[in-house]
Every structure is written in structure tokens, then in C-alpha cells.
Amino acid sequence: MKLVKSLLLGSAAGLIAVGGAQAADLPVKAKAVEYVKICSLYGAGFYYIPGTDTCIKLGGYLRAEVALNTNSVYGGQFSGTGGAHNRLSNYYTMRARQDLNIDTRTATEYGVVRTFFDATFSWTTGNYAGQGSATGATGYSATTAGTATINPTDGGTSGGSLGVYYAFIQFAGFTMGKAVSQFDAPWTNYPGNNFDGLVGGSGTVTGVNQFTYTADFGQGITASFSAEDATAYYQAGNLNLTGATVAGIAGGSYGSNAIGGSRSPNLVGMVRVDQAWGLFQASVAAHDNHVAYYGPTEVTGHPDDKWGWAVQLALSIKNIPTGAGDTINISGVYTDGATRYNFQNLAGSSYSMFSGSDVGYQSIGFANAPDTVFVTGGSQETVKTWGFRGAYTHNWDPYWNTAIYGAYAAAQFGSLAKNAICGGGGFVGVMAVAGVTSCNPDFNIGQVGVITRWTPVKNLTFSADFNWTRLDQKYAGTAVITPAAAVSKPTAVYELKDQDSFTLLLRAQRNW
């Protein structure tokens, strides 16, 4: 019995010893790992990329919209099948869009290194254009990245597109890549509106490739000098009037476009004062008009380059007495051989619009504002334009606001263009035809609109934007015209007359 008792006590002591050793070897509960660390250096929404000292912020929006009485959400029924106002014209255009942007920032001994990328994925209603066939066949025209391309195989009724808006690096005062032009006012095309097609100023809302240096003098005063890509966004056309026809002019094209290869970027200078009371900005730009050849080969010769220029003043007044957050934004611009700084790319600079008439088959209004014009063997002549745009935004309460906005732009041609188109100075004149009682390629565009926005919850906004555009052209009388096959209009007598376009843009947008 004594032996058994000794064995039991010894076993118990051994178990206690082993248990104590195991308890001593158990790991201490670790502190929770902070996988995503908030970066408070650059405002809300930034986080450190794990394992680095770089902060990142993701953002974007999802938008659903419908534009009534337009073949594009960009603008009104200004040309092509939209301006035809017949069975080829859309009564509506719908779009769904997802935007994604990525903002990264890293503090260095030279200052913050920033990269910014913004892209959109869109699905947009397309439209159909006439083919001029005996059976009335049409071809699909897909609205992809703001352009229309005929698809003879009939691709359906809608089109998807990918757009890169911004992709740039900022470092030590330099901006390198695709960003909003330094010429633009901060509100670009939108002094108070959603409507994209405002004339009266520049607006590279989808960015332009550039190399820019910005000097910051403190107290909200900055100055920038920029070299910006002229192609795509800043070329309104260099037209050889020798190729002009009545049908082409009526379609909004005053000749053969003969833009040459890129030779010089646009040179832009800007000074801005941005303070609590508002903002003032002065911008200047120089644009090189480089033409290819008079004819199909090098031996036909070419006109010399001609520089154009533009100047713009912009003013924003904040927190005016009518209410907290109320704002007035206005800008004015003058261009000489640099038309896109007034007739910005989403507004366009070519018009061909039809409507009813008591004289002839129908009425038509047409206009075109290129950068320069010339004739075979001659020099370039610049087109001069001026314009303005502005808006007043009133906040009714934290959920509702309304803006009233407007824009105006005028284009003026020189003696070469007027003589070649209308006659005189040794030119017969393309439009010097029977029935035309007044011939002048100068024209004006006037626009007014109103928008109301409702934001029931933070970052979710519903809006309705109504716009009226009027083409004030300087032709009068009648003319026998054979329009382009795409608009399905017959050869007939048309009255030359001012035209109107009305657009209602309805939008729902969720920012995140």
C-alpha cells in the first residue's frame, strides 16, 4: 500500500511539473495587426499602401442619364442625323457610366510626389445614318469616346467605350501627363450646368497631355507655363476653300480639311488668384496652324505655318449675399486662329440643322468655324472668334440647388473666306447661286439653360438640365441643295434660316 501511494504522489507531481512547463511555453496573445492604416496627411479617404510610405485614395462615381432630343449626351441636335430632325434623329440618348480614379501621394524631401488616374467605362445609345441606297438602308453609328463611326455590318443599338480622362504625375511644381489644360477655368465647361455643349470658352474636361510648371507664390497666388498637345482637342480645322461645294457648306464643312502633322504643342501661360472671396484667372495660349499640302502630293506645295492665339479672363465670386454657398462663375475669351479655345471640342464648331418652312421643301441653317482657311496657292487666313459663358447657382437648402446659365460665341471670317464662299475679289463664290439674297459665313451661337439638383442623401444627386441653343447665321434666301446621304434629305429648294435646338438632360449620380 505504501508503494502504491508513493507511485500516485510521484505521478501527480510529474503531471503538475509537465503542465507548468507547457503553460510557460504558451505564446502571449499578439497585438492586433493594423492591415490598413489611415493616412491623415492629405485629407479624408487616404490610406497607407501596406509596407510603404505611400498614401492612396480610391474614388469615382456611377452615373445613369438620359438626354432627350439629342443624338449625343454631349450637346444638342446640331449636325448630322441629329440636326436632320427626321426619322433618323434620336428622340433620346441613354448612358450608363462608371468612373474610377486612383490618387497616390508620397512625401519626399522635394515635396509631395503625386500620381492621379481617372478612367470611365460607358454604355451609350447609338444611332443610324442613311446610306443613300434605293431601299433606304441605314448603317449603325456608334457613339464611342465622343465620336461617330459608321458600322456597315450593323453592330446593334448601343455601344460600350473606355475613356482615359486623366493620367499624370505631379512633382516639385511640375505636372506631366494628361490633365485639365492650364488655360481652362477650374469649372471647365460647367460654370453651373451638366450640359456639355456650352460654347464661349475652353474646356478639356477629359484632360490634355501636357508638361507644366506651376509656381506657388503663397496666399492663393499661382502662375503656370505649359506645353500642351494640340492634336484632338485643339484643332478646329485648316480648310482649303478650293474644295468647297454647296452640299459641303450646307453640311457644315467649308472645304477640305488639310491639317498636317504635329509640329509644336500649344504654349499656355496662366496666372490665378484663388482666395476665400473667390477666384480670378487670366490665361493666354499660342497655337501653331500647320497645313499639309494643296493637293495629293508634295509637289503641289503648301501654305506656310501661321500662329494663332487666345486670351481668356475668368472670375468666380463665392458666398454672395443671396445665400450660403451661392456662386457666380463667368469667363470671356477672344481667339484668332485658335478656335477651340472658344468653340470647345464637346461643343463642336460645325452646324447643319433642318426644320420646317413655308418656303421650299424645308429650312436649313449651317455654319463652320475652323482655325484657318486658304485656297490652293495662297496663304492661311485666320478665323477670329469671341465669346463668354457664366452661371449663377443658388442653394435653396442643403438638399436643393438651382443654376441659371448661358453662353455666347461669335465667329468672324476675313475677306479671303468671304470672297471664296460668297464671291468678290476675283472669286465666283460657292454660295453665289440663284435664290441666295444674303451671303455671309459669319455666325453667332447663343445658349441659355436652367438646372435643378436634388441631393436627398450625401453623394447621391438627381438633376434635370434644360438647354436652348440658337444658331444665328447670316445667310438668307433659298438655294437648291443636295444634302449628304447620311441625313436622307432630298435634292430640293431649301430656305436659309436660323435654327434652334432644345435638350433636356436627366441624370442620377452616386459619388463614392
Side-chain angles (χ1 to χ4, degrees), residues 97-102 117-121 162-166:
R97 166 173 286 178
Q98 173 65 63
D99 176 275
L100 172 66
N101 59 69
I102 305 170
F117 172 78
D118 185 278
T120 60
F121 306 85
L162 168 65
V164 176
Y165 277 18
Y166 311 122

Side-chain angles (χ1 to χ4, degrees), residues 107-111:
T108 75
E109 58 184 309
Y110 298 99

Side-chain angles (χ1 to χ4, degrees), residues 71 81 84-91 128-129 138 487-489:
N71 281 46
T81 53
H85 293 119
N86 59 15
R87 294 183 66 85
L88 297 176
S89 303
N90 285 359
Y91 282 178
Y128 285 85
T138 60
V487 297
S488 295
K489 297 288 184 179

Side-chain angles (χ1 to χ4, degrees), residues 109-134:
E109 58 184 309
Y110 298 99
V112 175
V113 177
R114 183 191 185 197
T115 67
F116 188 83
F117 172 78
D118 185 278
T120 60
F121 306 85
S122 303
W123 189 268
T124 310
T125 304
N127 59 85
Y128 285 85
Q131 302 291 286
S133 73

Side-chain angles (χ1 to χ4, degrees), residues 64-67 70 73 90 92-96 123-126 143 158-159:
E65 59 192 338
V66 56
T70 178
V73 293
N90 285 359
Y92 69 89
T93 297
M94 300 184 73
R95 170 177 290 171
W123 189 268
T124 310
T125 304
T143 51
S158 297

Side-chain angles (χ1 to χ4, degrees), residues 229-248:
D229 186 14
T231 62
Y233 295 121
Y234 286 111
Q235 292 176 318
N238 307 123
L239 304 185
N240 187 344
L241 297 175
T242 305
T245 64
V246 173

